Amino acid sequence: METAEEFCESYLLVDAKEASLYDIACILICSTSFLKTKAFYKELSEDVERSIGDTICRRFIIFASMLIQKVLIWVEKPMARIGFLIELWLNLLSSNGGVFRLFISYIQGKVVRPEESAEKFMTVVGELDRRLKLDASIRKGDGRYNQALSIMAAKLAYENKAFVKAAIQDQLKMEFIGFYEFWNDYQNQFTTYATMFQDTLDPNLIVVAFRGTGPFTAKDWMTDVDISWFELKDLNNSKPIGRIHGGFMKALGLQQTKGWPKNLEPPPDATDEHPFAYYTIREKLRGILEKNTNAKFILTGHSLGAALAILFVGVLGLHEETWLLKRLEGVYTFGQPRVGDVSFGRYMMKVIEDHDVRYFRYVYGNDMVPRLPYDHRSLFFKHFGPSLFFDSFYNGKVMAEEPNKNYFSMVWVIPKYLTAFWEIIRSFILPYWKGEDYKESRTERLFRLVGLIIPGIAAHGPKDYVDVTRLGTELVPTITNNKRVAIENE
């Protein structure tokens, strides 16, 4: 396994592919010096005095991360197969008009068989919320417009290229720029996906949406639970800027041994074989924005995609891409996990303030993903910037941190389950209250039932985030000089 001394002040790298079950067990019982002799474990950091409790907690989190990744490696193929069969069944139903008509079509030999790459084939994420158009009441210039467009883009990023292109052109009536898959230098495979399109109204607005965690994609889950971290250096003075989640950085295009060089050699456009997310998107944005002096761009994503969207800004700051940062209209993230430590948060807020970047971090209800990785003194993960928190009635508040910041608090157990039960009831009430556009699919209602077991999973779905941007409009928060400002939406 490669090390990272060239670009890191310190780091922790763990590789589940290199570890046996015995190695993983050693994380709990063996010394750090012994672990450093193993191929799967590389650490360079200052010795910090920790209490026995903190040491045990830290080791257990690393152990759990490695064990989960190992299991994901084992189940990657069956997991993908199960996901394919579920999505195939859902698309068979939608393509043939439901169970009864599917049965009749089967008897008649007229079953419509959807292709996975077809423009009408929808993923499970898409089936949870089939809306593809913006709310008719939301128009350009409305304070809700960019946030509504962003969550729709983040939701579309889960779909295949043909579906995304058709939805952007036919439903959103915008210009499709591209759909991209990107290489992960550490996993040696394509793991990251993004889409770009252009709002052709004046001034032009370019949207970059990163795909989130695929429910049945093991490599995405491995990225999420990878507890590796890097303490990056400022490229000018070599001072550390903070510790950052390793899995997310790898997915964005971090280079082994090189880290984040300002320019790749050869340039990213020299080959289409292994494009990296950050470098490819940066160059495409430059090309488009240079041709249109009025255009700006938005970065957005849901779940894993949200983490990549905000880290993209961080790397732009690292490379002093002032011109691009000044053309950035805003970053809209939905269900974003924590991406770094307090020092990195300070660095990010300085980049955001210095370049007047608007950063909106939406959190719905009991969504567990924004409350991960665990915020504990034995680790270091912290959110930065205000939380735009919305409860199950879509009432919004601008908060320093969402309630129940670590999700697993015993105090919140009963309220979480009561809320999950209310969300099921609400799914039947909302269409009569707000209109047919808020009617939930059967797939979404089944997903709600999962919330009665693990409330934070159902709350992470895109449906509630779409509704937040439409119904939760009491407050439209902005960030000015690192102060939270709430503007009443008229």
Side-chain angles (χ1 to χ4, degrees), residues 127-129 440-449 458 461-464:
E127 291 285 353
L128 293 176
D129 180 31
E440 296 192 357
S441 66
R442 291 187 179 90
T443 306
E444 174 65 18
R445 284 178 178 163
L446 286 172
F447 190 50
R448 295 280 188 205
L449 293 176
K463 201 273 180 183
D464 283 312

Side-chain angles (χ1 to χ4, degrees), residues 183-447:
W183 190 254
N184 187 316
D185 204 28
Y186 287 77
Q187 292 190 23
N188 290 316
Q189 58 183 325
F190 291 98
T191 64
T192 307
Y193 298 82
T195 189
M196 292 178 65
F197 61 92
Q198 190 165 1
D199 183 345
T200 52
L201 297 177
D202 188 31
N204 286 342
L205 185 67
I206 299 155
V207 180
V208 180
F210 292 92
R211 178 182 292 182
T213 303
F216 303 102
T217 308
K219 59 190 178 185
D220 287 352
W221 289 103
M222 289 177 65
T223 295
D224 293 343
V225 302
D226 183 358
I227 206 68
S228 300
W229 53 263
F230 302 90
E231 186 172 34
L232 296 185
K233 302 175 184 178
D234 188 302
L235 298 182
N236 288 323
N237 55 32
S238 295
K239 292 181 178 179
I241 63 172
R243 298 181 178 185
I244 311 169
H245 189 289
F248 302 150
M249 294 295 271
K250 296 170 187 176
L252 191 59
L254 184 73
Q255 305 294 294
Q256 292 198 51
T257 71
K258 297 179 182 178
W260 287 115
K262 187 164 185 177
N263 296 294
L264 286 180
E265 295 294 341
D269 292 337
T271 176
D272 293 328
E273 185 178 356
H274 291 160
F276 296 99
Y278 167 78
Y279 295 100
T280 303
I281 292 173
R282 185 187 67 179
E283 296 311 308
K284 290 187 179 298
L285 284 171
R286 276 179 179 166
I288 295 170
L289 294 172
E290 284 173 354
K291 295 177 182 177
N292 188 342
T293 57
N294 293 322
K296 289 194 172 185
F297 69 101
I298 278 175
L299 295 169
T300 187
H302 170 259
S303 192
L304 166 62
L308 299 182
I310 190 59
L311 286 177
F312 189 92
V313 178
V315 183
L316 285 178
L318 187 69
H319 290 160
E320 297 184 330
E321 296 284 357
T322 302
W323 183 80
L324 277 174
L325 286 167
K326 290 294 184 183
R327 304 291 292 275
L328 175 57
E329 189 281 334
V331 185
Y332 298 78
T333 70
F334 305 89
Q336 176 200 314
R338 297 181 177 104
V339 299
D341 68 357
V342 173
S343 295
F344 182 66
R346 294 193 193 102
Y347 161 79
M348 284 299 301
M349 291 310 298
K350 187 176 187 305
V351 171
I352 288 169
E353 290 174 22
D354 288 350
H355 300 91
D356 196 25
V357 174
R358 301 198 299 166
Y359 173 38
F360 302 103
R361 182 171 66 85
Y362 289 87
V363 178
Y364 168 75
N366 291 318
D367 185 352
M368 68 187 302
V369 174
R371 296 164 169 95
L372 298 172
Y374 205 66
D375 180 352
H376 188 270
R377 60 181 178 272
S378 62
L379 290 174
F380 56 82
F381 292 102
K382 300 281 185 182
H383 275 306
F384 54 87
S387 165
L388 281 61
F389 178 78
F390 291 82
D391 63 21
S392 60
F393 292 90
Y394 304 120
N395 294 317
K397 291 182 179 180
V398 185
M399 308 177 72
E401 184 86 55
E402 49 275 6
N404 186 23
K405 69 175 184 177
N406 277 326
Y407 183 76
F408 298 103
S409 170
M410 295 301 294
V411 176
W412 286 85
V413 170
I414 294 176
K416 282 189 296 188
Y417 281 97
L418 289 175
T419 300
F421 183 69
W422 153 245
E423 287 170 338
I424 293 175
I425 297 173
R426 187 192 63 192
S427 71
F428 293 94
I429 297 174
L430 202 58
Y432 297 99
W433 180 23
K434 295 295 183 180
E436 280 295 308
D437 206 29
Y438 296 92
K439 184 177 181 179
E440 296 192 357
S441 66
R442 291 187 179 90
T443 306
E444 174 65 18
R445 284 178 178 163
L446 286 172
F447 190 50

Side-chain angles (χ1 to χ4, degrees), residues 131-142 144-145 148-149 152 171-172 434 437-438 466 469-471:
R131 292 172 292 186
L132 297 174
K133 294 182 179 180
L134 299 181
D135 189 315
S137 67
I138 300 176
R139 300 181 181 278
K140 186 75 174 179
D142 188 326
R144 300 174 295 166
Y145 183 83
L149 181 60
M152 194 60 68
Q171 303 296 328
L172 295 179
K434 295 295 183 180
D437 206 29
Y438 296 92
V466 174
T469 64
R470 298 182 177 200
L471 303 176

